[in-house]
Amino acid sequence: IAAKSGLLNYVEGDVTINGQPADLSGVHFSDVKENAVVKTADGRAEMLLTPGVILRMGENTSVRMISNRLVDTRIELLAGSAVIEADQIAKDTSVTVLCKEGLVSLPKAGLYHFDTAPAQLKVFKGDADVDLGGNSTNVSTGHLISLAGTTASVSKFDAEDTDTLDRWSHRRGSYLALPKRSPS
């Protein structure tokens, strides 16, 4: 178990940390240090944040690790799209995402999809607290919020309208949930 957030757990294709290829040899995982930038080109990546919380990055996405402390994990979505799957958020941990003008806190388990173009957050499951222009707004299941500008604009969205990142994230989550088989 990592003592800090930001363990690169899985990569597909072209993924770099601070411009260097991510090293995920059989027994080694890449540790994402504070202020490091993880970037996918023609690839995808999965990063472990706090226990029970996973960040999945789509193609052409970059994320900066602001703080990799378990009690105060902060990341910035610089470009592209990312999904955060939170099976649990422990009481002594915190996950915050900076995306354009929005500062998003995830107080409970859920499924959250962030985009930078257009800058928005879709809450597939759970609740998110969004600070936009100094005003705090709660965004619940089935709603999206624009993360551009200073005025909160919350609306409903169709949870069946998913993209390739959502479907890949769902497959990865299903794969990780499978019971591990012991050798016969």
Side-chain angles (χ1 to χ4, degrees), residues 31 57 62 66 68 71 93 97 111 123-124 128 142 147 159 175 181:
D31 195 15
M57 299 169 58
S62 55
I66 298 170
N68 64 356
V71 296
T93 65
V97 179
L111 185 61
V123 179
F124 281 90
L147 299 174
Y175 171 76
R181 291 186 182 158

Side-chain angles (χ1 to χ4, degrees), residues 31-158:
D31 195 15
V32 181
K33 309 235 184 282
E34 288 188 353
N35 294 312
V37 174
V38 178
K39 186 172 185 177
T40 63
D42 186 20
R44 297 179 177 143
E46 181 176 85
M47 186 185 329
L48 305 178
L49 297 179
T50 61
V53 180
I54 298 173
L55 169 78
R56 295 191 179 102
M57 299 169 58
E59 295 178 342
N60 301 307
T61 296
S62 55
V63 170
R64 182 171 65 93
M65 177 63 72
I66 298 170
S67 169
N68 64 356
R69 296 178 344 171
L70 288 175
V71 296
D72 184 29
T73 299
R74 293 176 176 262
I75 60 170
E76 179 179 9
L77 181 61
L78 301 168
S81 300
V83 169
I84 292 183
E85 182 178 337
D87 290 331
Q88 65 181 6
I89 304 235
K91 288 183 182 183
D92 57 346
T93 65
S94 156
V95 176
T96 305
V97 179
L98 175 61
C99 181
K100 299 299 180 184
E101 284 87 28
L103 186 63
V104 181
S105 298
L106 306 176
K108 59 168 57 175
L111 185 61
Y112 309 91
H113 184 121
F114 294 84
D115 289 301
T116 59
Q120 66 182 13
L121 163 66
K122 290 181 179 177
V123 179
F124 281 90
K125 183 171 57 175
D127 283 299
D129 294 326
V130 179
D131 185 301
L132 196 61
N135 296 312
S136 187
T137 303
N138 181 269
V139 184
S140 60
T141 299
H143 291 84
L144 70 85
I145 186 170
S146 171
L147 299 174
T150 57
T151 307
S153 173
V154 178
S155 59
K156 290 185 177 184
F157 73 95
D158 180 4

